[in-house]
Amino acid sequence: MPARPHPVHRPTTYAVTVLAAAAVALTACSGAAEARSGAAAGSTAPAGPAVNTSPDQKRITATTDEKAAALLPAGIRERGTITAANAGAGGGTPPLVFTADDDKTVIGVEVDLAHLFADKLGLEVETPATSWENVFLGIDSGRYDVALTNVTVTEERKEKYDFATYRKDDLAFEAPKGGTWKVTSGRDIAGKTIAVGSGTNQEKILLDWNEANVKAGLAPAEVKYFQSQTDYYLALSSHRIDAYFGPNPSVAYHVATAGQTEAIGHFSGAGDSLQGLIAVLTKKGSGLAAPYAAAINSAIADGSYARVLKRWNLSTEGLEKSEINPPGLPKTD
């Protein structure tokens, strides 16, 4: 559901990145179908690369990696199944996890990766869709074994959970197609008009860059705020703004489905201090982080992981290696 600029489900300041921040680029609709129809609002440009939003996903599959499977806790290995929860209830957020054209089947890159990693572990996977809060409650209670739902690694979360990383947590600038302007650093926004979601991590980054530019004698960017996804993209197509700064997955989805814009710069959702990382969430001490990291690395090695990311236009978020409990976003006061 590309919808609503609410600060999504994250307890720390830094946590308002992709899922939460997707809030803005996905801003004004109540469901996946409306999100798709709104993606090209204000334009008659031909659609970009097709994105399969049907219930029949024809997912990329993989063969079992016996070494990874051997790392599984005995109980799960014997059971032969695993639950990988996601926060897709209520429509979700394309392309992460959202409702297909039948308005009931949950699809998206997170669902595809949950299936792919389960293939590598030789397991059947269930991918229940729930709310963001219930993802964590379900892991705590043992109702869910793991979660793949755009969870950023943070130092606070590492006190209670174990992680196996599988994507970068990135932000992106989106601008009309065919321009020459690129954003490689904060200095490149000087004098531009840029839309951003209020209360999001990308807003903080943008305002910090403005402050640094003013100190350096450069013109600040003019920051614009809108109420809905449609408003953001109408402003972009009418050139009332130079760019939109939002979560990379939502930008990538709009680029792929609308065919009128392009990403002109990518940045870590953690700002300059650290590359933010998205990871499989597991209960601390469950013994699942290691087999998942091994499964992810096996999928990276055989190319199936890259094919899944390409399918959802998220190749820029690919990792060279999965890590267990890497440095996370710092705690905030």
Side-chain angles (χ1 to χ4, degrees):
M1 84 171 177
R4 288 186 241 287
H6 47 61
V8 175
H9 319 313
R10 305 267 178 110
T12 66
T13 299
Y14 279 110
V16 201
T17 46
V18 178
L19 236 193
V24 177
L26 307 180
T27 334
C29 54
S30 58
E34 185 179 348
R36 287 188 290 274
S37 66
S43 172
T44 56
V51 175
N52 179 6
T53 57
S54 75
D56 185 7
Q57 284 293 289
K58 299 180 173 62
R59 290 189 178 94
I60 291 161
T61 60
T63 57
T64 301
D65 185 306
E66 298 297 344
K67 290 182 179 179
L71 298 175
L72 285 166
I76 289 179
R77 194 166 60 245
E78 292 167 7
R79 191 175 73 198
T81 63
I82 197 160
T83 56
N86 61 68
T93 304
L96 300 171
V97 52
F98 63 109
T99 306
D101 298 337
D102 63 356
D103 288 329
K104 63 180 181 180
T105 304
V106 178
I107 62 173
V109 66
E110 304 289 56
V111 180
D112 280 8
L113 290 173
H115 280 269
L116 183 70
F117 302 153
D119 285 349
K120 284 292 183 181
L121 292 170
L123 300 172
E124 294 294 322
V125 64
E126 297 176 4
T127 56
T130 185
S131 66
W132 177 261
E133 307 80 40
N134 283 329
V135 164
F136 293 88
L137 292 173
I139 293 290
D140 294 345
S141 68
R143 181 178 183 182
Y144 308 130
D145 299 307
V146 300
L148 279 86
T149 191
N150 208 61
V151 180
T152 301
V153 181
T154 72
E155 289 303 308
E156 182 177 2
R157 288 176 181 156
K158 281 167 58 180
E159 294 175 356
K160 191 173 181 179
Y161 304 100
D162 288 326
F163 293 92
T165 59
Y166 64 90
R167 274 197 299 110
K168 294 177 184 176
D169 183 359
D170 277 353
L171 306 173
F173 281 87
E174 184 178 5
K177 213 170 188 178
T180 58
W181 174 46
K182 304 296 179 186
V183 183
T184 59
S185 72
R187 297 176 70 89
D188 294 323
I189 70 168
K192 299 291 187 179
T193 301
I194 300 171
V196 72
S198 177
T200 60
N201 201 45
Q202 54 266 29
E203 180 195 30
K204 180 183 183 300
I205 292 171
L206 197 62
L207 296 179
D208 286 348
W209 284 350
N210 259 355
E211 184 178 346
N213 284 345
V214 169
K215 287 180 180 178
L218 299 173
E222 182 180 0
V223 181
K224 294 280 191 180
Y225 301 92
F226 296 93
Q227 293 300 311
S228 72
Q229 176 198 0
T230 302
D231 292 340
Y232 276 92
Y233 288 127
L234 283 173
L236 195 60
S237 64
S238 63
H239 299 279
R240 287 182 286 130
I241 58 175
D242 295 304
Y244 162 70
F245 187 32
N248 179 64
S250 59
V251 167
Y253 185 80
H254 183 253
V255 166
T257 55
Q260 60 189 7
T261 57
E262 61 184 334
I264 62 167
H266 294 88
F267 297 87
S268 168
D272 296 334
S273 61
L274 183 73
Q275 173 60 60
L277 294 169
I278 303 298
V280 178
L281 175 76
T282 75
K283 192 171 185 178
K284 199 160 195 70
S286 67
L288 287 169
Y292 262 90
I296 295 163
N297 285 326
S298 179
I300 291 171
D302 72 11
S304 55
Y305 164 83
R307 291 196 295 275
V308 171
L309 294 188
K310 183 178 180 181
R311 182 170 185 254
W312 294 101
N313 204 27
L314 291 177
S315 296
T316 61
E317 293 194 350
L319 298 180
E320 294 182 0
K321 181 181 180 182
S322 176
E323 298 177 274
I324 298 171
N325 295 333
L329 305 192
K331 292 182 178 180
T332 58
D333 296 330

